[in-house]
Amino acid sequence: MPRRAQISPSILSADFARLADELARIDGTADWAHVDIMDNHFVPNLTLGLPVVEAVLKSTLLPVDCHLMIEDPDRWAPAYAEAGAASVTFHAEAAAAPVRLARALRKQGARAGMALKPATPVEPYLDLLPELDMLLLMTVEPGFSGQSFLDVVLPKIRRARAAIGDLDLWLQVDGGVSADTIEACAEAGADVFVAGSAVYGKDDPAAAVEALRALAAPLVGRS
Ligand code: DX5
Ligand code: ZN
């Protein structure tokens, strides 16, 4: 299946008091709306949970890409799929039974994603890849938007792309992705790009999405 560049703006950098308006600014341009769920335990920040995700789902036509930075995703993640999130990503470092969880998410009709923090190697998880629809390689330590891109993750992106081979599995990057860094990510093998401050920190978020996609698109599929 030919790969294409997809942009998933993170609403963590949007105005939380006006979420419906902020989502409308990327509707029709973005491929996804990326929603960061943090529990103040897995990461040192607290954002939002299922009630707000349900409100987001009602207020946008964009498919919702939930990134769960929480402890015990085995317990909490399936509810996000059941609520209607089109993609639900849990962290490998927090999951007790990642294969069982990925199967539960797919059974609820969601795409199953698994995330790795920058220092977590991909190699122990290679046998799990057929159970997943997306692998997220974090390019910052999870917890906050606006951090600097960690280029030490690029070799891991390359190794993951090689391991994915012909599998129908998307490779997402998240953290510090901007006009300055997206080409390196695409060249290394990423095809889904989360961007928070590089979209919502701009005056025209839709134009920022288009500009990011234009930079990545020629490189996606070449690696
Ligand atoms: C960080 C979150 C990201 C964050 C990205 O832990 O997972 O999605 O919002 O923000 P930027 O693109 O500003 O690094
Ligand atoms: Zn995220």
Side-chain angles (χ1 to χ4, degrees):
M1 192 175 294
R3 283 188 278 134
R4 67 187 180 93
Q6 301 186 66
I7 309 294
S8 187
S10 165
I11 61 168
L12 188 57
S13 298
D15 180 350
F16 271 17
R18 300 173 46 252
L19 274 185
D21 295 340
E22 294 283 68
L23 288 160
R25 296 170 84 191
I26 57 165
D27 205 350
T29 313
D31 298 280
W32 295 85
H34 182 88
V35 180
D36 291 297
I37 292 110
M38 305 187 191
D39 67 352
N40 222 2
H41 292 273
F42 183 71
V43 288
N45 196 4
L46 184 66
T47 54
L48 51 87
L50 192 55
V52 176
V53 170
E54 286 170 341
V56 165
L57 284 161
K58 277 190 211 145
S59 63
T60 183
L61 294 173
L62 286 168
V64 171
D65 168 26
C66 284
H67 175 195
L68 302 179
M69 286 159 275
I70 61 172
E71 298 286 4
D72 202 2
D74 305 70
R75 177 175 177 191
W76 303 111
Y80 290 84
E82 201 178 348
S87 179
V88 178
T89 297
F90 60 87
H91 268 267
E93 300 89 348
V99 171
R100 187 171 64 201
L101 179 52
R103 289 182 181 179
L105 294 172
R106 282 176 159 180
K107 202 170 167 192
Q108 297 283 0
R111 296 178 59 87
M114 190 179 76
L116 303 178
K117 298 203 283 186
T120 305
V122 70
E123 282 73 17
Y125 298 100
L126 294 182
D127 289 345
L128 275 62
L129 296 184
E131 301 286 339
L132 302 171
D133 299 295
M134 186 165 78
L135 179 67
L136 164 54
L137 298 182
M138 292 300 300
T139 42
V140 298
E141 289 298 338
F144 302 92
S145 53
Q147 301 181 78
S148 297
F149 180 80
L150 295 175
D151 56 9
V152 294
V153 181
L154 288 170
K156 182 164 65 171
I157 299 172
R158 283 197 192 91
R159 294 198 306 276
R161 172 52 64 195
I164 289 168
D166 291 334
L167 286 175
D168 185 12
L169 172 65
W170 296 348
L171 185 50
Q172 186 179 60
V173 284
D174 180 8
V177 176
S178 69
D180 293 332
T181 57
I182 195 168
E183 288 166 298
C185 296
E187 187 275 329
D191 53 6
V192 187
F193 306 88
V194 177
S197 42
V199 170
Y200 279 109
K202 305 284 183 192
D203 290 338
D204 186 343
V209 169
E210 298 285 13
L212 289 171
R213 190 188 288 109
L215 287 169
L219 300 164
V220 165
R222 284 209 202 154
S223 45

